[in-house]
Amino acid sequence: MAQKSIILVTGGNTGIGYETVKALYASPDAYVVLMGSRSLDKADAAIKTLQSEVTESQSEVVPIQIDIEDDASIERLNKEIESKYGRLDALVNNAGGSHDAAMRENPTPAGIREAFDHTYSLNVTSTNVLTHTLVPLILKSSGPRILFVTSGMSSLDACSGGSSISSAHKAGLPSIPAGWPKQPVLSQIAYRSSKTGLNMLMLEWQRFLKEDGVKVFCISPGFLATNLGGMGPEKLKEMGAKDPSLGGLLIREVVEGKRDADAGKVVNAAGVQAW
Ligand SMILES: NC(=O)c1ccc[n+]([C@@H]2O[C@H](COP(=O)([O-])OP(=O)(O)OC[C@H]3O[C@@H](n4cnc5c(N)ncnc54)[C@H](OP(=O)(O)O)[C@@H]3O)[C@@H](O)[C@H]2O)c1
């Protein structure tokens, strides 16, 4: 019998991460899906929901504690995967967040620094530390893939009004009247610049690991109704966000090799996102 692929999804207990675990669990292919979660209680509750939503599966889903901002947690996870499975076939770097709202509430230098530091620590630094730690296990796979969940908001082309800009993005980038201080605008300056940084991280890992046969991608899942930013899924739906299952299905396609021709790029549902 073929070995089950071992897939780790960070932030797998909710939102797009949960939908990724669910899409893999519902696949006709067989996986061991490691549902990464900061809290094992949250993972256990999410697995109960999953098993009530998907009643037949070729796969197993296993809760695993991971806080990507905590080096001890990363090391424990690394040792656990090494001792139980000896390799990792796909790493889905999904855990991430937007902390711009905190900066709007406290627009002082200290508040701005804190929001930027938290956002970059989570979306860039910690994602890189986890990836770096797990590379030896990834190199033991016969078909290794690394995915980084980025955003449409990371696109330099879209932000600068380039040819790839969609009407949704245009609406999100109204021109801002002259004068200082600016009236509060729904800016995502820390989030979007951290995700542009994440795109560069992906390119660097693609370059480092290309000759090792590792396929590396960014995934741009689209605007989806999750807890991102803290407004809650219902509010995001009112703003036009779609069902997070779309993100899970896109990520599954990439994990299953259907988008291998796009390795080293930012993959979205329509094709490839402009840088
Ligand atoms: N929703 C969108 O429209 C959208 C669009 C583009 C990209 N994305 C990206 O998609 C990814 C998933 O976000 P989401 O929309 O599903 O948001 P979400 O519902 O807020 O889920 C975020 C997940 O990340 C986890 N997380 C946060 N900090 C962590 C840490 N330090 N260590 C480990 N896990 C941590 C959260 O855990 P807890 O449950 O413990 O908080 C949660 O599981 C993010 O990278 C986000 O930037 C989202």
Side-chain angles (χ1 to χ4, degrees):
M1 212 166 76
Q3 275 188 325
K4 290 178 181 166
S5 294
I6 317 293
I7 318 290
L8 171 64
V9 182
T10 61
N13 57 290
T14 190
I16 296 169
Y18 172 79
E19 293 295 340
T20 300
V21 172
K22 184 170 157 185
L24 292 165
Y25 191 67
S27 168
D29 294 343
Y31 299 102
V32 175
V33 190
L34 305 177
M35 178 190 273
S37 180
R38 286 197 280 194
S39 140
L40 281 177
D41 286 347
K42 281 191 192 171
D44 289 342
I47 289 172
K48 272 203 185 113
T49 306
L50 173 69
Q51 286 170 341
S52 68
E53 291 179 335
V54 182
T55 48
E56 272 182 41
S57 174
Q58 305 302 310
S59 298
E60 52 189 296
V61 58
V62 180
I64 194 160
Q65 198 279 333
I66 178 66
D67 180 340
I68 65 169
E69 291 175 284
D70 176 354
D71 290 339
S73 170
I74 292 178
E75 203 36 56
R76 266 198 311 275
L77 168 111
N78 182 34
K79 290 219 160 68
E80 192 174 334
I81 300 177
E82 186 179 25
S83 65
K84 281 195 186 159
Y85 310 105
R87 68 175 206 287
L88 184 62
D89 296 300
L91 166 60
V92 181
N93 280 305
N94 165 74
S98 159
H99 300 286
D100 284 82
M103 183 164 63
R104 285 193 291 276
E105 279 155 28
N106 180 15
T108 63
I112 295 168
R113 186 180 297 282
E114 195 182 325
F116 263 81
D117 285 354
H118 190 177
T119 309
Y120 273 71
S121 162
L122 177 58
N123 293 344
V124 185
T125 314
S126 302
T127 301
N128 190 56
V129 173
L130 178 73
T131 303
H132 179 93
T133 305
L134 293 177
V135 162
L137 284 174
I138 292 168
L139 292 179
K140 298 220 168 104
S141 167
S142 55
R145 293 186 180 82
I146 302 176
L147 285 66
F148 296 93
V149 180
T150 185
S151 168
M153 296 184 105
S154 71
S155 170
L156 298 171
D157 183 79
C159 191
S160 57
S163 54
S164 71
I165 193 166
S166 69
S167 52
H169 263 110
K170 241 175 216 154
L173 292 171
S175 77
I176 294 169
W180 190 260
K182 299 292 178 195
Q183 292 306 307
V185 284
L186 201 60
S187 159
Q188 293 284 340
I189 187 170
Y191 178 73
R192 67 188 316 158
S193 59
S194 74
K195 290 292 188 177
T196 309
L198 183 69
N199 294 351
M200 179 58 85
L201 199 74
M202 179 279 288
L203 274 180
E204 278 294 82
W205 280 111
Q206 156 79 5
R207 193 165 69 87
F208 292 159
L209 299 177
K210 196 166 178 214
E211 299 307 322
D212 296 290
V214 184
K215 300 209 159 44
V216 186
F217 308 82
C218 270
I219 311 298
S220 183
F223 182 32
L224 305 176
T226 67
N227 293 313
L228 186 72
M231 283 193 259
E234 290 313 316
K235 182 75 196 156
L236 295 191
K237 263 187 217 158
E238 282 169 25
M239 294 165 68
K242 297 194 178 136
D243 197 275
S245 60
L246 295 173
L249 292 170
L250 173 63
I251 292 172
R252 184 176 87 184
E253 264 189 27
V254 177
V255 167
E256 292 187 338
K258 296 188 177 113
R259 303 294 295 269
D260 278 359
D262 296 329
K265 298 186 177 145
V266 180
V267 172
N268 64 18
V272 169
Q273 180 172 295
W275 294 113

